[in-house]
């Protein structure tokens, strides 16, 4: 290890920054955030430092580097654009056993300022020892993305309960075991979901048991998005990685299923048109049985669980059994496919509303009211439309939508296999006769923008107003 990592308490402590430019400003901001009393030594100040001076946030010594200022400084930053001055500051600091950071010069520095994720009280510092600062920044960003949104609240909650846990368990090992179970279990999940009262109740109940165990399964209905694994939400990923079992749909990207815990049970309950699949009743029973047995079950569904996903029925089964659950929304196929095809679903000049309907009907379900859906000025997105394409386009025409209305069929949207076939209500069905599934149909003037706004993947044919 080239540098020893430590977190220093700089509140009210004197720090010296030599230099008055934008680099010095960055360092001053970092030090000020930690509460340091910062003196800036430079003949002039950039606008940002000048503003801090006027706010009374820094002290300014307006002259060339003054070595006498070192005596009072706990740490020093050399941030001038003059290499020789920076070297001199560093040399004098070494002689006086002061820690000095020289910007962009790791070998002359006595300390380096790491890239930080600041979710106080949780602070994570990343350093490459000054060798690859941009890599450190990328790592910092990834950690930031990965951390749950309420990690600071979790830290404060742990602090709040700490004394009571210490009183309850006599030994250090017992306390460690308790906190490990707790932070990996449902109480912490509740807290991170913003349910503080429920988290408190679970922790209190756990403290009251002989061994401090927290039991109880839970179901998490997680939307996995339309295909691109990058579209999974942070909350979805967090829960997926904590589940004991994952029940996933056929449409969920394999890369997302792979993100589950290595020892989690992975069960495909895929439902795909025309192929054998697990019945909805069996999925409901499986969910209820596993949660009753104390498992944390991630029910991973394509798109959004509440958009043509039968998520409501699964929750009803859980609710009727009195079992706990959480729902994590996902990007639904309509918004995902529209975004990746360059079709804005609403547009001030072209569409003042959007409807999502399904082209697939169960035998006992009535047809949608195509005439009202055909209304101009509205965008229509039809799910499960591939096999019904000709029928749906004809119904919209019969309902009064002009045959030249632009339309697009987007297959396997947001994935590397995305294909967009454009046309209008008159010709799309024949143009898209060989289109693959799954696909959504988008109808409306906004579909005419796709050639102009296209940014992702391949497309065939333009959405157009055909002369009829
Ligand atoms: C049973 S529904 C599930 C919808 C899902 N819950 C959602 O919010 O996107 C399945 C239909 O979603 C649409 N779909 C799902 N993923 C898609 C994708 N990557 N590209 C195009 N359409 C997709 C298709 O219309 C497919 O037939």
């Amino acid at each position: 290890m080239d540098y020893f990592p430590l977190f220093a308490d700089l509140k009210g402590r004197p720090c010296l920054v030599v230099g008055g430019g934008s680099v010095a400003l960055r360092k001053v901001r970092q030090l000020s955030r930690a509460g340091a009393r910062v003196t800036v030594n430079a003949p002039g100040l950039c606008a940002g430092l000048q503003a801090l001076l006027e706010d009374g946030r820094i002290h300014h010594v307006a002259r060339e580097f003054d070595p006498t200022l070192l005596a009072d400084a706990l740490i020093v930053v050399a941030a001038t654009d003059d290499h020789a001055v920076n070297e001199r500051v560093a040399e004098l600091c070494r002689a006086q056993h002061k820690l000095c950071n020289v910007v962009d010069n790791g070998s002359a520095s006595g300390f380096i300022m790491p890239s930080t994720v600041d979710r106080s009280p949780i602070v994570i510092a990343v350093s490459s020892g000054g060798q690859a600062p941009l890599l450190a920044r990328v790592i910092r960003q990834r950690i930031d993305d990965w951390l749950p949104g309420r990690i600071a609240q979790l830290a404060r909650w742990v602090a709040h309960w700490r004394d009571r846990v210490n009183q309850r368990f006599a030994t250090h090992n017992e306390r460690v075991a308790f906190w490990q179970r707790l932070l990996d279990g449902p109480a912490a999940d509740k807290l991170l979901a913003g349910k503080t009262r429920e988290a408190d109740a679970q922790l209190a109940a756990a403290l009251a048991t002989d061994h401090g165990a927290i039991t109880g399964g839970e179901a998490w209905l997680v939307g996995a998005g339309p295909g691109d694994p990058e579209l999974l939400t942070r909350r979805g990923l967090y829960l997926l990685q904590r589940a004991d079992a994952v029940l996933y749909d056929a449409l969920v990207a394999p890369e997302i299923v792979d993100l589950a815990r290595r020892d989690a049970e992975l069960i495909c309950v895929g439902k795909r048109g025309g192929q054998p699949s697990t019945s909805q009743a069996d999925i409901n029973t499986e969910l209820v049985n596993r949660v009753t047995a104390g498992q944390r079950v991630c029910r991973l569904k394509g798109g959004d669980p509440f958009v043509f996903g039968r998520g409501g029925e699964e929750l009803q089964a859980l609710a009727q059994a009195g079992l706990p659950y959480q729902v994590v929304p996902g990007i639904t196929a309509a918004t995902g496919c529209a975004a990746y095809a360059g079709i804005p679903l609403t547009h001030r000049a072209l569409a003042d509303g959007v409807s999502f309907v399904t082209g697939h009907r169960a035998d006992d379900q009535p047809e949608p009211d195509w005439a009202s859906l055909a209304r101009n000025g509205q965008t229509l997105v039809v799910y499960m439309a591939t096999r019904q394409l000709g029928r749906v386009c004809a119904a919209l025409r019969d309902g009064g939508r002009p045959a030249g209305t632009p339309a697009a069929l987007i297959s396997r949207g947001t994935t590397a296999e995305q294909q967009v076939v454009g046309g209008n209500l008159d010709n799309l069905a024949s143009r898209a006769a060989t289109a693959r599934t799954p696909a959504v149909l988008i109808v409306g003037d906004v579909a005419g923008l796709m050639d102009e706004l296209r940014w992702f993947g391949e497309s065939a044919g333009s959405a157009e107003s055909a002369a009829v």
Side-chain angles (χ1 to χ4, degrees), residues 225-228 249 251 271 301-310 330-334 337 382-386 410-415 437-441:
D228 182 348
D249 281 352
L251 283 182
K271 281 185 283 183
K301 299 176 79 73
D304 182 280
F306 281 0
V307 180
F308 305 125
R310 304 189 73 172
I331 293 179
T332 188
C337 293
V382 188
Y383 287 66
M384 295 171 264
T386 331
I410 302 150
S411 303
R412 304 193 182 175
T414 80
T415 74
T437 57
V440 288
L441 166 68

Side-chain angles (χ1 to χ4, degrees), residues 57-317:
R57 310 257 301 275
I58 57 171
H59 175 65
H60 181 205
V61 178
R63 51 179 177 267
E64 299 292 344
F65 169 52
D66 177 352
T68 64
L69 295 173
L70 295 179
D72 189 39
L74 179 69
I75 58 173
V76 178
V77 178
T80 76
D81 53 11
D82 185 330
H83 187 69
V85 173
N86 288 349
E87 287 280 329
R88 185 153 166 258
V89 177
E91 224 173 86
L92 289 172
C93 284
R94 264 195 299 277
Q96 296 179 34
H97 303 299
K98 300 258 177 210
L99 283 179
C100 175
N101 172 258
V102 183
V103 292
D104 293 334
N105 189 346
S107 59
S109 293
F111 76 97
I112 48 182
M113 293 167 82
S115 282
T116 53
V117 178
D118 184 2
R119 306 268 198 95
S120 290
I122 299 296
V123 178
I124 298 168
V126 181
S127 162
S128 63
Q131 298 197 24
L134 288 180
L135 175 62
R137 247 166 62 183
V138 170
I139 295 170
R140 184 207 79 87
Q141 188 57 53
R142 294 206 177 145
I143 293 174
D144 200 17
D145 291 346
W146 169 81
L147 275 178
R150 291 194 177 90
I151 196 73
Q153 285 92 322
L154 181 63
R156 285 194 283 273
W157 185 70
V158 169
H160 170 78
W161 281 94
R162 199 167 149 201
D163 284 347
R164 266 169 284 183
V165 172
N166 286 352
Q167 281 159 19
R168 166 72 177 74
F169 299 105
T171 68
H172 175 72
N173 283 352
E174 281 176 316
R175 288 172 196 158
V176 170
F178 177 80
W179 281 119
Q180 264 173 0
R181 273 198 307 272
L182 185 104
L183 293 174
D184 198 28
D189 290 335
K190 293 271 187 247
L191 199 283
L192 290 171
K195 298 178 173 180
T196 311
R197 244 181 291 148
E198 287 178 37
D200 282 341
Q202 287 203 331
L203 196 150
L207 284 178
T209 65
D210 279 352
H211 41 77
I214 299 173
T215 53
E218 190 169 51
W220 301 321
L221 218 61
V222 173
D228 182 348
E230 295 294 316
L231 295 180
L232 180 67
T233 64
R234 282 166 58 162
R235 179 88 187 131
L237 175 62
Y238 177 79
L239 291 176
L240 173 60
Q241 291 182 328
R242 296 161 76 80
D244 304 310
V246 180
L247 269 56
Y248 64 96
D249 281 352
L251 283 182
V252 173
E255 295 93 325
I256 291 183
V257 179
D258 282 349
L259 296 169
R261 234 173 54 198
R262 224 170 281 167
D263 61 335
E265 259 183 276
L266 304 179
I267 305 122
C268 180
V269 292
K271 281 185 283 183
R272 249 188 157 154
Q275 291 173 25
S277 56
T278 315
S279 74
Q280 188 61 51
D282 286 346
I283 295 174
N284 296 356
T285 306
E286 186 75 21
L287 265 177
V288 167
N289 288 347
R290 286 178 178 272
V291 176
T292 305
Q295 281 194 337
R296 288 175 297 162
V297 184
C298 180
R299 174 71 178 100
L300 201 52
K301 299 176 79 73
D304 182 280
F306 281 0
V307 180
F308 305 125
R310 304 189 73 172
E313 293 164 52
E314 292 171 15
L315 287 200
Q316 282 174 309

Side-chain angles (χ1 to χ4, degrees), residues 344-356 370-381 396 399-402 404-406 425 442-447:
L345 291 176
T346 64
H347 185 286
R348 278 162 64 116
L350 300 174
D352 57 12
V354 55
S355 302
F356 298 170
W370 293 113
S372 78
L373 290 168
R375 246 188 13 251
N376 264 332
Q378 299 265 322
T379 306
L380 182 64
V381 184
L396 288 169
R401 198 94 195 226
T405 304
L425 281 183
I442 301 183
V443 179
D445 290 338
V446 288

